[in-house]
Amino acid sequence: MKETGLGEFQEIVLLAILILDENAYGAKIQNEMSQRLGRTISRGALHAALTRLSEKHFIESKFGGATTERGGRRKRFYTATNLGKSALNDAKTIRDEMWTLVPKINMQ
Amino acid sequence: MDTGSENQYAMMHPEIPKFSYRLFKWFCHEDLFEELQGDLEENFLMNTAEQGKKKARKIYNYEVMKLLRPSAMRKANLFPKGIAQLSRNYLKTSVRAVRHNPGYILSNIVGLALALSISTIGYFYYHFNDTFNKHYDQAAHLYKIHGLRTSEATLGSSSITLAPSLRAAGIDAMRYHKETVAIRLGTRLFQESTVFVDPQYLESFELRSLSGQKLRLQNADEIFISSEMAEKLFGDVYPVGEFVEIVFPNEEERSFVVKDVFQDPPQNVSFHFPMITSFDNYLEFYGADENDWTKYIDGTFVNLENIGSDQVEAQLNTMIEPHNKYNPSRVIEKFRLDNILEWPNFETTLAGSSFWNTLHPASVWGTVSTAFAILLLACFNFINTSIALSGKRLKEIAVRKVMGGSRKSTIAQFMIENTFMVLASVLLSIGVSYFLIPAYNSLMTQEIVELDKVPLDTLIYFGIGLIIFVALLSGAYPSFYISRFSSLEIFRDKLVISGKNKLMLILLTFQFTLCFYNFSSLFVNVDNSLYQETLDRGYNLEKVINIPLSSSEQLAELKNRLDQHPDVLQVAGTTNTIGFNFRNATTTIDGMDHEVADLAVGINYPQLIGIRLIKGSFFSEQYESSADHIIINKMLEDEVGHDLLNKSIKLGDQVFSVIGVVEDFNLRPMMFENRIKPTVLRPSPEKSYRYATLESQNATTSLNLEIEGMWYELFPQQLYKGFLQEKVMEDIRATNTIMVNINLFSSLITVLISALGLYTLIALNVQRRSKEFGVRKVLGASKSVIIGLLGKDLYWILGIAMVIGLTSAYFVTNAVFDIIYAYHVSFGLSHLLWPTVSLVGIVVFTIGYKVLQTGKMNPVEQLRME
């Protein structure tokens, strides 16, 4: 087992980026996450997570072309790097391994 | 990471909360702004569609708040570094000090907050002139062409041919001309102004759409309108593609397609217009010939970005000769180029120019100095209360020192406390300003304080500067003064801070001087505005309506209809109307020349307008029999020095015989230098009538509307421009309102702050001296002795303040009135008496109860305290 350095929130962000694939930019990621989690995610919180992720080189980003619907501002598209994907994989493996060790969940 | 700096003109959705947007733009890291704002905006649009505008705005504000985190913030120093490390103990002590005297400290904070808000207003005044026309990015290269004349005022307007001729020489020149046109809305026409410009104007002055796009006129039938016009004409904020129907003076009606809505410029620019269209339309609809040197337009501008001014001047020099040849009455010495940043300062002195200009320096410095005086007053008040309050904390200081605290630490303690109080009042003043600024703007005729048009960082730097200034001024002295006390004296109870501190007395005197000054000028101003209202103009100001005619033939038709109206008493045609236009002329009497105002009027006009005859008669009913008659005013007769009735006078080449002498009357709005002049009235032939003037029975505003309807039945293609004779009062009323309001505003605030301060001082004085009063009472002092003791210094303070305050009010208001008004009230006894009575009343009211209570108090209570 090794340390992935991936927080839970960051993990969800990374997953959202993978789900959205080609179309992963700020507002989309934010909405995707809000929908999946069933609660509002602020753009500020997302920004913090994205910054951490790029610091760790788990994601890359580049600007798209100019758009009309957002006042001519360009979107920044995020893609997961190989490092990011393997970190995600590691995280999943760790969890799966741990799940196999859990005998049974009792809901009371 | 590539640098995604924000495209400078990227659109901001008009519904987005402006303040949050600007705040966000200010603090957000440049590299991140485009992405983040784009996302927020996209969400904003989605939320607007899903949850409505209000909710979406709320979410946007919240999101901006949540983005206030280091990783998204600009790395530059938003706040000055090295704010002193605050020890927790200092803070604790400060909090305790506040808790013990919440009332006094609150009053201090409120006073200072009010003053800070006023300072902000003062700053905006300064900012208004300082950044006038700086709105235009190319301002430094843009120049207006003026015609310098030897003896007369410089020409602000210029010939229509100037720009095309300059352009032929490769110079980037542009014309700008404003005209009043009629816009059709249903059957009615209404008056609006339209600006006609060369395409180069839009290029150099960068007119932008709401979304920040540069606007260009492609076809002559296109028009750009302001959002206010959009709302007014179509009830729609974005009526692109709609049509505006304009009726031109040649009765031609045209449709213009609304190409776009432009962004409103800030108030401090020279160019304001509700609609703008191509200059070709002016040429077409006004029958203007581009080669006509005698045809004048509002202004010709040149852009010197790619060309030297000497080259342009050389080219202009070649045009002096043709200009003078065709304009013998407007001979110029040379053309001069004036930068658009400079020109607004002397715009009012130009002939034939009608652009917005900078505020009068007196108005700016008046406001700034009033604001500064109020700020000083609040600071002084702060100093006084701080010192007075510290009297209760002497033991604390002594203990600190005995325990080994240095004087430095005591100073630090008080400085920190005071800085916090200043900060608290800054926060409070933001709230106060929020309400105060709109209120203040509504008092003025022009919106000078435009919060959302001022760059936020300027405002913030100003705020920080102000805080430092105020904190140093109000915090430093008390801290140093208090920390000086020796602990030994304090413990021995030898040290007494009474109200006897000289500085405190001087500061309080200053405060009340300001109060007296403000009160007195308030009273004079109110009195003066009443005086201006009731001042005899020498003619009938009410119940008269003037209707400009586009041809004299209209009069007969109009008169016919008006005579049937029950409210209309009489109708007369005239060429000049008193109060609005006249000609300067020279008349020769007994071989001597006299400068007179020459009014060409209709036969019945003098009676209708209510000019009062002294001797002789008015004109007879027929023009033919009166053609060589003339009426003069008393002033002209006095100037000549003998009876002129039935004598001959020469006006120009014509000889007239004087048939009547009338009382003096005013020719213009009575402001500035517009005093009564020697005047002649001569009859004008019917064919040169330019106005129909009528006298009515009742209130005239509603009648004017009625006549407007009548007019459109008669002349559907002609704009109705009727106005009340009372319009003469417009400027003077606006000025009066501003003067009274400013004075009222500053009087109330100075009195409020001073009263708060005075109350605090007296209350603390009473507390400190309660034992003394107790002993005095026990020894037989009466109530009045105690009251006398408490008030002793106050008599002096009020006395000195009264003398200085009233004297300076006398000189200042007189000087200001002399500049503004042709006639004004003179400063009298009542202007000294009333402010004194009311101010003393306020002082008594403020401290009276406290003093009386102290006087009445049972000495046992006072002595038993510890």
Side-chain angles (χ1 to χ4, degrees), chain A residues 2-4 85-95:
Chain A
K2 67 175 179 182
E3 177 65 46
T4 62
K85 287 173 193 164
S86 73
L88 208 52
N89 247 327
D90 290 346
K92 185 172 182 318
T93 319
I94 294 164
R95 288 191 186 201

Side-chain angles (χ1 to χ4, degrees), chain A residues 28-54:
Chain A
K28 265 274 156 24
I29 302 172
Q30 189 185 352
N31 294 333
E32 175 73 20
M33 286 173 66
S34 299
Q35 245 171 43
R36 299 271 167 198
L37 300 181
R39 66 183 167 96
T40 337
I41 307 288
S42 80
R43 186 62 184 81
L46 177 61
H47 169 79
L50 287 170
T51 313
R52 293 275 174 284
L53 284 170
S54 5

Side-chain angles (χ1 to χ4, degrees), chain B residues 540-558:
Chain B
N540 188 2
L541 194 67
E542 288 139 25
K543 300 176 182 176
V544 172
I545 297 179
N546 297 306
I547 306 163
L549 306 170
S550 50
S551 71
S552 55
E553 288 92 55
Q554 286 176 323
L555 179 64
E557 254 181 289
L558 191 64

Side-chain angles (χ1 to χ4, degrees), chain B residues 432-502:
Chain B
V432 172
S433 303
Y434 185 79
F435 294 101
L436 197 70
I437 287 175
Y440 185 83
N441 275 335
S442 67
L443 297 183
M444 300 293 129
T445 46
Q446 189 187 2
E447 198 168 303
I448 286 158
V449 188
E450 289 181 292
L451 265 188
D452 53 324
K453 296 251 164 75
V454 176
L456 205 64
D457 46 358
T458 318
L459 200 58
I460 286 170
Y461 292 137
F462 163 74
I464 292 173
L466 197 63
I467 293 171
I468 294 172
F469 171 77
V470 171
L472 281 180
L473 184 62
S474 348
Y477 179 78
S479 313
F480 281 88
Y481 176 73
I482 295 157
S483 61
R484 217 180 43 200
F485 303 142
S486 124
S487 32
L488 205 61
E489 277 183 32
I490 295 172
F491 283 131
R492 282 189 183 156
D493 252 348
K494 274 197 174 163
L495 188 97
V496 179
I497 309 180
S498 65
K500 287 264 166 130
N501 179 316
K502 267 212 189 84

